[in-house]
Amino acid sequence: MACGDFQGLVLKGVTKLNCKELGRGAYGRVYAVKYCGTICAAKEIHSILIEEARDEEMQRTVESFMRECCQCSVLRHPNVIQFLGVCYTYAYGAGRGVQGRMRLPVMIMEMMADSLTSLVDKHEKIPYNLKFSIVYDVSLGLCYLHNHDPPIVHRDLSPNNVLLTAHHVAKISDLGVAKVIKADSRKTMTKAPGTVDFMPPETLDETPVYGPPVDVFAFAGIVLHTFNQQWPYSSKQVQFDPITRKRVALSEVERRQQYLDKMRGGEAEVLRPLVEECLDDDAAMRPNITVVCEKIQVSKDNYMKGLPQDIITLHQQVQQLKSETREQKFEINQLKFEVDQLKKQLSSTRNVRTQQVASQQSNCRTKMMIEAPPLMQALTSGRYHIKWTQLASLPAPGYGVVVTVKEKKVYVVVGTTPVDEAKHQVYAYDINTGHWEQLPPSGHYCGVPHIIGGKLAIIGGRLSSTNERTNKVSTFDETSQTWTSYYPDLLSVRNRPGVVTHLEHVIVAGGAKSHGSTPVIQDDIEVLNWIENSHWRKVSTYLPMPMVHFTPILTDKHLLIVGYNDADNVRNKTVYKIPVDDITRPRDQQQSTDTSTKWIKMTDATHWYTALVPNSSPPVIVGGSDQNGIATSDIKMYDDSSKSWKKVALLTSARSYVAVAAVSNNTIIVIGGLTKGKSIGNAKASSITTVELGQAQITLTN
């Protein structure tokens, strides 16, 4: 969206409230407005910058403000101030009269209760858990900005620009001087726009340099301000050495030593080494904001462990109440969903009865679709059988296909193909119409498609522009046909992770990250509560080993994993499971049991490159190949009594490395795959065929 083009962002019915100013800065003032019955904050340009400016100066000021609106409109994160839209007001230029008035944009944002500066000034002693929470929130917001594509540097981060909700959730605001740092652009800019006590040395040169380390330095000042509850004024840049009788330059750590000393011996002691790293004179030596996030979270967890037991118990009770509230919200949404499904089922049943009457009248015996029991019951029942139907051919031949389903739409990401142009494209197949649609590129490939809160998202993968592994979570907007940052990005970069949803939680596990030019396979797990739209959090449970390129499923309240590459890039067919509650419950409620004892190792699958059927209970695997590379068409179910896999049905053809998705409780689809070829690594283009998108349905037999 070009600056000044606010199509779709203009809000109607914004009413200005008669109350005092909420705040003001160098470029604008903030006041309260009402929009759709909600009190919001409005930011507009200072009238003095417009009314007494020449035409070209006024135009530059307005364009700068428009750029801020455009930049804020694409940001979505719980720790960055939420942009709602724009409305318009009018201003008059010097000597122009009524005919010379100019239409000016006003930025509408969520209303915040307080600023960090004001909170510190008003309260003599702020609880340490709140201090940890505030600085952690700020680090998460910075992590989102720095990992944005392209990265965004705030350049004026200070306690004045950290705002708080009524529940003390901290959010970064005032991106008026923030800059997008493009990969091919120089980082030198005009003279420093920030708050001097929070500015590192590289911004004070004749040709100041701005990059993510600038914000990391300012973040250290915010930590000092929050924990000491004092503004961290920097001391003089030089001091007199009585021995050498010369002036000696002070480091940035030495200039703030009095505030660092105040963190010694207390709960804030754990953060002091991190603050000193962030204050390093050399920008290259300051830690990445992602590392800062992780260290603060560890410090916060360690602080909670050191609290008296009665405080911990009260904290756990609060978290339990929050959890129960989330469950109630989910149950309400689930009930609404079930009502919609019953309406659709009623309509479908009426259509089936109409077809049955027509069939009887024509004296044709047909196999009628019924409201079948779940797929797994049908596979073990003698009254039902599996009928395969070819729905369509893939838009491009390939293997490494990843798939997800939303109602009657199947979203497919084609992996490796003999046709370069088709590699890693995103396609949508409409089961009702039988048509394929190619979606616009998401900006990162090798990511995993998944439905989060009814929205299609691509999670992780590699950036198309640089081929670097990424932590992006891109969400597809069906109205505008574009990819947006609706949900927050992951805490860590992940290429080809495992993804699954349980109630309101999205679980992302494993995947590959970069270590120089060498990929490193991960074993950690992140969880997002998409109903609350909160940030991702890492859990204390880890995978049984580092894994990449796998698809976990849920079965009987357990997370199940089969078929993955380990850290040595060796394909494995071991089957593991774990109670999903061990992953989704809040970190402070998880038991301290060692991760290795939580995972249950089941009997190995009979083939490599096999796929799990989502929500199958007991578990069902599809296809695969043996150690000689011979593909199978077997569909096998796990028999818990014999601890073995038993064949229950067959695919239409032998194939391995397929994608499987569940359309309903009696329908699955099997997509793509290799019809021959020993492994992915040595598969030739000639061994890849255009495999149909096949649908298996349960039909009643005579």
Side-chain angles (χ1 to χ4, degrees):
M1 181 178 66
C3 287
D5 178 14
F6 295 123
Q7 185 176 2
L9 299 179
V10 178
L11 306 179
K12 303 294 185 182
V14 178
T15 306
K16 184 176 180 180
L17 300 179
N18 294 322
C19 60
K20 66 178 182 179
E21 267 185 15
L22 301 176
R24 62 170 51 216
Y27 303 100
R29 67 187 191 98
V30 181
Y31 54 89
V33 296
K34 181 179 284 189
Y35 171 64
C36 291
T38 302
I39 305 299
C40 306
K43 178 180 178 180
E44 70 175 12
I45 305 171
H46 281 314
S47 58
I48 193 172
L49 297 178
I50 299 298
E51 295 170 0
E52 297 184 6
R54 295 190 299 272
D55 287 348
E56 60 273 14
E57 292 175 343
M58 182 171 66
Q59 190 64 35
R60 282 197 299 268
T61 301
V62 172
E63 288 178 356
S64 176
F65 189 79
M66 286 181 171
R67 281 195 297 272
E68 180 183 357
C69 293
C70 291
Q71 184 162 269
C72 291
S73 69
V74 299
L75 300 179
R76 295 289 186 275
H77 192 273
N79 299 117
V80 176
I81 194 78
Q82 181 63 62
F83 170 87
L84 302 176
V86 295
C87 64
Y88 286 97
T89 186
Y90 291 90
Y92 297 92
R96 292 186 181 86
V98 176
Q99 300 302 321
R101 68 179 188 171
M102 186 173 187
R103 192 167 179 245
L104 300 175
V106 177
M107 184 190 303
I108 308 300
M109 305 167 290
E110 63 178 316
M111 176 65 77
M112 304 295 286
D114 211 345
S115 70
L116 179 55
T117 303
S118 176
L119 179 75
V120 169
D121 289 342
K122 288 187 297 185
H123 299 279
E124 184 177 347
K125 188 173 179 59
I126 300 173
Y128 269 101
N129 62 330
L130 178 56
K131 293 178 180 180
F132 273 114
S133 179
I134 289 173
V135 298
Y136 184 53
D137 284 348
V138 177
S139 70
L140 290 172
L142 267 188
C143 190
Y144 170 75
L145 294 176
H146 287 186
N147 289 290
H148 197 270
D149 184 19
I152 297 174
V153 180
H154 190 285
R155 299 204 302 160
D156 189 18
L157 188 64
S158 73
N160 296 329
N161 293 330
V162 174
L163 302 184
L164 305 171
T165 68
H167 300 290
H168 297 111
V169 176
K171 303 194 179 192
I172 297 173
S173 71
D174 200 350
L175 295 166
V177 296
K179 290 291 182 181
V180 172
I181 304 296
K182 297 182 179 179
D184 58 348
S185 68
R186 298 184 64 191
K187 296 180 182 178
T188 56
M189 298 183 186
T190 54
K191 211 59 174 169
T195 305
V196 67
D197 294 312
F198 294 81
M199 292 162 56
E202 65 266 24
T203 62
L204 302 174
D205 295 337
E206 287 300 322
T207 56
V209 177
Y210 291 92
V214 170
D215 291 342
V216 173
F217 185 95
F219 175 75
I222 287 178
V223 176
L224 291 175
H225 177 259
T226 304
F227 278 90
N228 295 328
Q229 294 193 228
Q230 289 181 323
W231 191 269
Y233 294 105
S234 54
S235 65
K236 296 180 180 180
Q237 293 181 320
V238 295
Q239 70 178 8
F240 181 75
D241 188 336
I243 298 176
T244 62
R245 304 186 65 81
K246 294 182 180 180
R247 295 186 180 276
V248 180
L250 293 173
S251 69
E252 294 296 330
V253 170
E254 291 172 325
R255 297 179 68 197
R256 293 162 179 81
Q257 194 61 53
Q258 59 173 321
Y259 303 105
L260 290 167
D261 289 342
K262 292 181 180 179
M263 298 180 72
R264 295 182 184 274
E267 291 86 345
E269 170 71 29
V270 293
L271 290 180
R272 188 173 57 82
L274 176 61
V275 173
E276 290 180 349
E277 291 179 37
C278 295
L279 289 174
D280 199 295
D281 289 20
D282 186 352
M285 298 302 295
R286 295 173 204 149
N288 181 283
I289 191 62
T290 303
V291 175
V292 173
C293 282
E294 294 173 353
K295 289 186 176 181
I296 291 178
Q297 184 178 19
V298 170
S299 300
K300 181 182 176 184
D301 293 342
N302 291 337
Y303 167 73
M304 292 298 296
K305 291 178 182 178
L307 290 176
Q309 187 59 43
D310 54 345
I311 295 181
I312 295 176
T313 301
L314 289 173
H315 177 75
Q316 291 175 344
Q317 290 175 354
V318 171
Q319 296 302 316
Q320 180 63 31
L321 289 172
K322 289 182 178 179
S323 176
E324 291 174 358
T325 302
R326 288 194 297 267
E327 291 175 0
Q328 290 173 356
K329 289 180 180 178
F330 175 80
E331 289 173 359
I332 292 173
N333 291 333
Q334 187 68 20
L335 287 172
K336 290 180 180 178
F337 174 79
E338 290 175 0
V339 169
D340 291 337
Q341 291 298 105
L342 287 172
K343 289 179 179 179
K344 293 178 181 179
Q345 192 175 18
L346 178 60
S347 176
S348 176
T349 302
R350 289 172 177 169
N351 292 336
V352 170
R353 289 175 180 172
T354 302
Q355 294 174 5
Q356 187 176 11
V357 171
S359 176
Q360 291 173 348
Q361 289 175 345
S362 61
N363 199 27
C364 295
R365 300 182 62 188
T366 59
K367 297 178 180 181
M368 303 302 299
M369 289 295 298
I370 65 167
E371 294 180 358
L375 176 64
M376 300 309 105
Q377 295 179 16
L379 290 175
T380 57
S381 172
R383 295 185 58 209
Y384 299 93
H385 74 276
I386 302 297
K387 178 182 178 181
W388 286 95
T389 305
Q390 180 176 343
L391 297 180
S393 295
L394 289 174
Y399 61 88
V401 174
V402 193
V403 62
T404 189
V405 174
K406 176 186 175 184
E407 297 176 346
K408 291 296 182 178
K409 271 198 174 182
V410 181
Y411 295 95
V412 177
V413 177
V414 177
T416 304
T417 79
V419 184
D420 289 339
E421 290 79 8
K423 187 175 182 180
H424 304 297
Q425 294 291 338
V426 183
Y427 299 93
Y429 178 77
D430 191 318
I431 295 178
N432 292 326
T433 64
H435 293 303
W436 285 102
E437 174 189 3
Q438 182 174 339
L439 303 185
S442 65
H444 48 124
Y445 64 93
C446 289
V448 177
H450 201 70
I451 303 300
I452 306 178
K455 301 177 184 294
L456 172 65
I458 302 292
I459 301 173
R462 291 176 177 267
L463 293 175
S464 303
S465 56
T466 63
N467 201 33
E468 292 293 324
R469 295 172 178 84
T470 182
N471 66 335
K472 283 178 65 66
V473 177
S474 297
T475 308
F476 188 65
D477 187 328
E478 295 184 353
T479 303
S480 63
Q481 292 290 294
T482 57
W483 294 91
T484 63
S485 300
Y486 185 86
Y487 293 107
D489 291 340
L490 298 165
L491 296 177
S492 302
V493 297
R494 298 179 189 274
N495 183 36
R496 298 185 184 276
V499 183
V500 70
T501 293
H502 173 60
L503 302 179
E504 74 271 35
H505 295 100
V506 182
I507 303 169
V508 177
K513 65 178 180 180
S514 300
H515 184 70
S517 59
T518 305
V520 176
I521 310 304
Q522 303 178 93
D523 61 356
D524 59 333
I525 302 174
E526 295 182 33
V527 174
L528 171 71
N529 185 319
W530 62 265
I531 290 181
E532 292 185 348
N533 197 25
S534 59
H535 53 74
W536 293 89
R537 61 178 178 86
K538 288 192 176 181
V539 298
S540 59
T541 300
Y542 288 77
L543 293 171
M545 64 178 64
M547 297 181 181
V548 69
H549 213 310
F550 64 100
T551 304
I553 69 161
L554 293 173
T555 174
D556 289 334
K557 298 183 179 180
H558 280 75
L559 181 68
L560 200 72
I561 292 174
V562 62
Y564 53 86
N565 286 71
D566 61 21
D568 297 321
N569 202 28
V570 176
R571 195 69 176 171
N572 201 309
K573 59 180 180 179
T574 306
V575 184
Y576 293 95
K577 72 175 182 178
I578 189 174
V580 70
D581 286 345
D582 283 358
I583 296 175
T584 57
R585 67 166 58 100
R587 191 184 185 101
D588 54 7
Q589 296 179 22
Q590 295 184 15
Q591 299 177 354
S592 58
T593 310
D594 181 53
T595 290
S596 60
T597 64
K598 294 182 179 180
W599 289 91
I600 302 170
K601 186 175 180 180
M602 302 169 62
T603 303
D604 288 359
T606 57
H607 290 77
W608 284 272
Y609 310 114
T610 188
L612 283 163
V613 175
N615 302 316
S616 55
S617 179
V620 173
I621 55 177
V622 176
S625 61
D626 60 20
Q627 60 185 358
N628 297 315
I630 306 301
T632 181
S633 60
D634 290 350
I635 300 177
K636 296 183 178 181
M637 177 187 296
Y638 183 73
D639 183 358
D640 191 56
S641 60
S642 64
K643 307 298 181 185
S644 62
W645 298 89
K646 295 187 177 181
K647 183 166 66 176
V648 292
L650 295 172
L651 295 168
T652 55
S653 62
R655 69 184 85 163
S656 64
Y657 212 75
V658 297
V660 182
V663 178
S664 67
N665 66 349
N666 69 325
T667 304
I668 64 170
I669 57 172
V670 177
I671 303 172
L674 287 173
T675 57
K676 57 182 178 178
K678 187 172 182 180
S679 69
I680 299 174
N682 64 13
K684 307 295 183 182
S686 60
S687 70
I688 306 168
T689 61
T690 305
V691 181
E692 76 274 11
L693 184 151
Q695 175 177 260
Q697 287 186 318
I698 303 172
T699 54
L700 180 64
T701 59
N702 292 328

